[in-house]
Amino acid sequence: MEKHLLLGQTLAFDGCALTDWQAATRHDSAGGVLIADGRIETVGNGSALRAANPEVPVTDYGDALIGAGFVDAHMHYPQTPIVASWGKQLIDWLNTYTFSQEMRLADPAYARAVADTTLDLALAHGTTTLCSFCTIHPGSVDAWFGAAAARGMAVVGGKTCMDRNAPDGLRDTAQGAYDDSKALLDRWHGNGRATYAITPRFSPTSTPDQLAALGALWAERPDALMQTHLSEQVPEIAWVRDLFPGARDYLDTYEAHGLLGARGLYGHAIHLAPREVDRLAEVGAAVVHCPTSNTFIGSGLFDMAGLAARRISIGLATDTGGGSSFSMLRTMAAAYEIGQLRGTALHPAQLMWLATEGSARALHMGGSIGHLGAGATADITVLDLASTPAIAQRAARASDVWEALFPTIMMGDDRAVRDVWVGGRRVVT
Ligand code: GUN
Ligand code: ZN
């Protein structure tokens, strides 16, 4: 059996940190993580683990913080080349920058190159799992899962389906979306570490027929995830109202077509009506907070406290390229800032939980990824809490781990990522 022992500070969670972070958090300033055959065997006291495993190779990270790898619960890998594009709000941004870029992924070699770049950037930023929209082209899904398999990474993805309000070359049909999605689901779902998500882009780009076809596929394959967008911007919601005059609200456009369920992931979910919140809570669906995107595209302030109080599952995500950063640290900082604007200061433990356990639970992978605990796959990120002079001078004054960690959350980037492990193997980034 191949074993490895990591020593350092450890940060683990057991329970929901949004509800009660003190009860859910386990920090050990002299901890250890024993990896055996790609999985975490034990998290415990570093010296005790070393004494009990004298033959096992050791990597000693000193004061660095060993935690679960970050989980990015909503992003668009095809948009990596257009990240940080200036000056547009959602619908204009899609029409100006996004659709022309997504068209380029008709070329499978280009799609693979963009997937490779995205995953290398993600790993360099400490992100070990990503849930991505692909493009309308089936080859973009093969590229995504192929690139992830080459790195041993657990990723989620799906063919983005659109049969209206998109340019020529970027539209399929109701039947074509069903057929392609079914074939890709059969090929990839559960293949190695791959998970398939049925992916209608959002209601404005799907006819009711297409939504119904994808709802029918989900009913046939309820083990798949389903990802889409919900109530991101006010003009988008008005457009949905015009396109679906019979719908009670935006969520109803999904619900009426079999696309509301516990394994559903609804990105953004900012401007929700009370009925939508009630239904998301009732069915146990997950929403995904994309804070850098929501400020960058000018979408609005996600109601973390309100949704958490309803016990709705919440993931955290970059939403690249609508989001402006590949870093889950920067994403946590933006979530903190949006919380402040809404009068709720998220604790560093809650931010770290959202970026690991919270996102993993939203993806229905809690306990197996995003988790520093026995039985989880050894996807691990080690953070240097003094990665720049500005961070180091602030961390030097810290009186506890949270004060030491918070400057890295607020000011850190890929320089803070000391090491990354995927499936028990150290990744060279
Ligand atoms: N809504 C529909 N498509 C998209 C997209 O690609 N990015 C974002 N942020 N919102 C969307
Ligand atoms: Zn998105």
Side-chain angles (χ1 to χ4, degrees):
M1 187 179 281
E2 199 178 324
K3 291 197 175 193
H4 204 105
L5 178 61
L6 312 184
L7 300 176
Q9 300 197 63
T10 51
L11 178 61
F13 297 101
D14 182 13
C16 176
L18 288 184
T19 318
D20 182 350
W21 71 261
Q22 285 99 336
T25 304
R26 314 267 175 271
H27 169 251
D28 190 335
S29 56
V33 178
L34 183 64
I35 299 171
D37 284 345
R39 292 193 175 274
I40 297 173
E41 190 175 284
T42 320
V43 179
N45 175 267
S47 311
L49 283 171
R50 191 172 209 165
N53 297 276
E55 309 295 324
V56 171
V58 174
T59 301
D60 190 345
Y61 288 113
D63 283 343
L65 186 71
I66 305 170
F70 296 134
V71 178
D72 184 347
H74 176 122
M75 59 91 61
H76 300 253
Y77 94 81
Q79 298 172 14
T80 288
I82 57 140
V83 69
S85 292
W86 183 84
K88 301 287 180 191
Q89 296 230 334
L90 178 61
I91 305 306
D92 276 352
W93 174 83
L94 285 171
N95 287 322
T96 309
Y97 298 118
T98 314
F99 288 154
S100 49
Q101 164 59 21
E102 292 193 7
M103 217 104 71
R104 299 185 63 191
L105 279 87
D107 173 2
Y110 178 72
R112 178 59 189 253
V114 176
D116 283 333
T117 301
T118 303
L119 291 176
D120 286 343
L121 283 167
L123 288 170
H125 286 85
T127 300
T128 48
T129 287
L130 305 90
C131 176
S132 183
F133 287 62
C134 300
T135 62
I136 198 149
H137 318 98
S140 74
V141 180
D142 295 331
W144 177 241
F145 286 124
R151 292 162 177 78
M153 295 172 73
V155 300
V156 182
K159 169 193 146 87
T160 296
C161 302
M162 299 194 274
D163 67 344
R164 65 168 163 176
N165 294 320
D168 289 348
L170 221 51
R171 287 191 311 274
D172 51 13
T173 61
Q175 188 63 45
Y178 173 93
D179 292 342
D180 284 350
S181 301
K182 187 175 165 57
L184 290 162
L185 207 164
D186 287 342
R187 185 175 318 148
W188 288 111
H189 190 56
N191 180 344
R193 300 190 74 192
T195 298
Y196 196 83
I198 297 165
T199 307
R201 179 176 217 117
F202 68 156
S203 293
T205 48
S206 287
T207 59
D209 279 355
Q210 180 170 82
L211 294 175
L214 294 174
L217 177 59
W218 201 17
E220 289 162 36
R221 296 298 303 270
D223 52 319
L225 295 172
M226 193 289 301
Q227 61 177 345
T228 189
H229 296 87
L230 175 67
S231 296
E232 181 175 357
Q233 279 203 352
V234 170
E236 171 209 12
I237 297 166
W239 193 21
V240 170
R241 205 175 296 123
D242 287 349
L243 289 168
F244 296 85
R248 288 170 287 184
D249 45 46
Y250 196 154
L251 187 66
D252 198 31
T253 64
Y254 298 127
E255 185 170 2
H257 298 103
L259 292 170
L260 175 63
R263 294 178 75 80
L265 294 148
Y266 302 85
H268 302 276
I270 300 169
H271 309 282
L272 298 176
R275 191 201 81 91
E276 296 178 294
V277 177
D278 290 346
R279 288 300 288 143
L280 289 165
E282 276 164 20
V283 306
V287 297
V288 186
H289 183 23
C290 306
T292 67
S293 170
N294 296 344
T295 51
F296 183 76
I297 309 187
S299 301
L301 306 179
F302 181 82
D303 183 12
M304 176 70 71
L307 296 168
R310 297 294 304 273
R311 298 279 198 276
I312 292 174
S313 174
I314 302 172
L316 186 68
T318 64
D319 193 33
T320 321
S324 52
S325 174
F326 293 94
S327 169
M328 289 300 282
L329 292 170
R330 173 73 198 104
T331 303
M332 285 181 245
Y336 178 78
E337 289 160 353
I338 288 175
Q340 286 286 66
L341 288 169
R342 294 201 66 124
T344 309
L346 286 163
H347 190 271
Q350 295 177 315
L351 294 165
M352 290 291 283
W353 183 88
L354 279 165
T356 54
E357 298 265 356
S359 283
R361 288 176 180 209
L363 299 177
H364 292 260
M365 296 178 190
S368 88
I369 61 161
H371 182 65
L372 198 75
T377 303
D379 292 349
I380 290 169
T381 289
V382 184
L383 294 177
D384 174 358
L385 303 185
S387 61
T388 69
I391 295 172
Q393 63 85 34
R394 178 61 185 90
R397 289 174 59 109
S399 54
D400 65 16
V401 64
W402 307 120
E403 237 189 300
L405 172 59
F406 195 53
T408 288
I409 290 176
M410 294 308 299
M411 297 190 280
D413 52 30
D414 50 336
R415 289 169 291 178
V417 176
R418 170 90 176 268
D419 237 342
V420 177
W421 294 71
V422 172
R425 293 193 185 285
R426 190 173 162 271
V427 174
V428 178
T429 58

